[in-house]
Amino acid sequence: MSGISPAAGGEDPGSALSFHCRIHRPAGPAGLTLVLLHGSGADETSLVPLAREIAPDALLLAVRGRVVQDGGPRWFARVTPTRFVQESIRAEAAAFAGFARSAAGALRFDLSRAVFLGYSNGANLVTSVMLLNPDVITRAVLLRAMPVLDHVPGTDLSAARILAISGTADVTYAPFASTLVELLRRHGAEVEDRVVPAGHEFGADDAALARDWLMKLQRRH
């Protein structure tokens, strides 16, 4: 069974969990907790530099998707780049919800105040968890996301605070970005919808927007 592994200089809380992950602790007290969910074919290390740019003083919990397809890890299986296996989404969303609760207990962070940073397939897993298990994730930064559930329950997301960032030149996901934002808002979520001059890749513009959004969120709470 996979567990939380320490980053260099970090510590191992010794809790066996259902997803492979690594913890990166800041040099000083953690200002907040960021949970990182990578894109297709990447791994738990891929979002760490971006997260450090966004929130240098955050505790980072970097998680790896459990589904292997086309030779790399994903969060759930796909049929095409924009069509997904519904049973896989629901199974992995349920498993991740349980993991998040266990990780919060093991690492002693407040799940209701943790921010989930997801990119592409990772962002799609975040929104799926929110819609299927709304008590688990209430703060999220979504990079290059799209709606993936064919049948969405009547979930109340009025406690959710979300930053959604799409890329103007993202030919695969950008056409679906506004549909996702409308879906989340229809379920009560507060969504800040932003667009950057980029393709599917993320970069400095995403970091700046996420940093500003987090600062505004922290001032409110």
Side-chain angles (χ1 to χ4, degrees):
M1 181 179 291
S2 299
I4 294 182
S5 304
E11 64 181 84
D12 186 350
S15 296
L17 298 171
S18 54
F19 285 76
H20 179 84
C21 49
R22 291 178 64 86
I23 178 173
H24 299 260
R25 296 185 182 275
L32 77 157
T33 299
L34 284 179
V35 184
L36 314 181
L37 291 84
H38 61 79
S40 301
D43 64 20
E44 69 279 8
T45 66
S46 62
L47 288 178
V48 171
L50 178 68
R52 284 176 169 158
E53 189 175 351
I54 294 169
D57 297 326
L59 171 72
L60 307 182
L61 178 59
V63 194
R64 184 190 304 172
R66 306 191 303 178
V67 174
V68 177
Q69 191 174 11
D70 300 325
R74 294 176 50 80
W75 294 96
F76 47 83
R78 74 179 187 182
V79 181
T80 73
T82 58
R83 290 292 299 167
F84 308 92
V85 179
Q86 296 299 301
E87 295 83 357
S88 181
I89 296 173
R90 290 176 178 273
E92 292 306 300
F96 188 85
F99 160 82
R101 295 186 186 101
S102 297
L107 297 176
R108 299 181 181 178
F109 66 83
D110 183 350
L111 191 58
S112 69
R113 299 183 68 81
V115 175
F116 288 72
L117 170 63
Y119 166 61
S120 189
N121 186 235
N124 297 340
L125 190 279
V126 171
T127 59
S128 298
V129 173
M130 296 182 83
L131 289 164
L132 296 170
N133 300 272
D135 63 311
V136 176
I137 300 176
T138 58
R139 298 180 174 192
V141 175
L142 309 174
L143 307 179
R144 317 299 186 267
M146 66 168 288
V148 297
L149 287 169
D150 288 347
H151 303 288
V152 180
T155 308
D156 179 7
L157 294 182
S158 56
R161 304 292 178 262
I162 300 169
L163 170 64
I165 309 176
S166 58
T168 55
D170 184 355
V171 295
T172 302
Y173 274 21
F176 301 96
S178 60
T179 302
L180 176 63
V181 170
E182 291 168 7
L183 170 67
L184 295 169
R185 286 175 174 166
R186 193 162 62 246
H187 284 264
E190 179 183 296
V191 185
E192 183 171 324
D193 181 20
R194 305 299 295 270
V195 182
V196 294
H200 196 62
E201 75 284 353
F202 57 80
D205 288 340
D206 297 282
L209 287 173
R211 190 164 51 246
D212 291 346
W213 179 80
L214 280 173
M215 290 176 63
K216 289 187 292 185
L217 189 67
Q218 289 174 322
R219 284 198 296 267
R220 290 173 54 185
H221 299 277

